[in-house]
Amino acid sequence: MTLYLPEHRRTPAVEVAPVRERPASVWPRGLVATAIAAVVTTLMALIAKAAGVDFGSSVGDVPLSAFPMLTIYCSLIGIIIAEVMIRVATMPRSTFQITMIVLTGLSLVPDVLPFFEFDLAFVGVLCLTHIVAAAIVVPMIAGRMEERRGLGLPAPAHRR
């Protein structure tokens, strides 16, 4: 016995897409990188202070607590930028890396401007801590972004 089905009954009314697992977040690795960078920049500041570098400026002394605090703050902003890049960028890893290089370069500008009248040795310490922190945090976050690429996530709505 053969059963006849009309054409509209042969195809499903709604196509069901396969359920895909959401990839891991960059937050865990980013927070580990943030902690490592905060410790390293603080140690760099302690070593510089012990070596006799003057942390004074025209507006007052820069406290040692500023190093880990600002490292954590800026690293958290970098993690948020990475999460946004994953969702909106066509090539999230390279877009993130280029953005972080530019932002790290821009973070050096206030240090070298004569507004705060920092000692030249302190300017070198500040610039070096910016670069070291970025060299720790950016590759660790970008490595997680590479793992997330190509997992078949749907394109953002504005790119369809």
Side-chain angles (χ1 to χ4, degrees):
M1 170 185 227
T2 306
L3 205 59
Y4 172 75
L5 288 175
E7 184 65 35
H8 70 280
R9 299 271 184 163
R10 292 182 196 166
T11 58
V14 177
E15 291 191 27
V16 179
V19 177
R20 298 191 174 130
E21 281 188 35
R22 187 149 190 90
S25 174
V26 297
W27 280 98
R29 188 178 285 185
L31 292 176
V32 169
T34 299
I36 293 169
V39 169
V40 169
T41 56
T42 305
L43 288 175
M44 290 173 63
L46 284 170
I47 292 168
K49 187 93 166 169
V53 174
D54 179 24
F55 280 34
S57 72
S58 60
V59 293
D61 288 347
V62 176
L64 284 175
S65 62
F67 287 88
M69 180 182 67
L70 290 173
T71 301
I72 291 168
Y73 176 72
C74 293
S75 297
L76 291 176
I77 291 173
I79 296 169
I80 293 168
I81 291 172
E83 287 288 344
V84 170
M85 294 287 177
I86 288 170
R87 288 171 176 74
V88 300
T90 305
M91 297 185 315
R93 180 180 184 193
S94 57
T95 306
F96 172 73
Q97 289 173 326
I98 291 168
T99 303
M100 291 301 106
I101 289 169
V102 170
L103 290 177
T104 302
L106 288 174
S107 75
L108 301 176
V109 172
D111 298 341
V112 298
L113 290 178
F115 178 72
F116 295 112
E117 299 173 3
F118 288 133
D119 181 41
L120 187 59
F122 186 56
V123 170
V125 169
L126 284 175
C127 291
L128 190 60
T129 57
H130 286 246
I131 293 167
V132 167
I136 293 169
V137 175
V138 173
M140 286 184 74
I141 293 174
R144 174 58 84 184
M145 293 174 78
E146 181 66 20
E147 294 166 10
R148 291 179 74 168
R149 186 189 301 167
L151 294 178
L153 294 175
H158 69 278
R159 297 203 188 268
R160 291 184 187 163

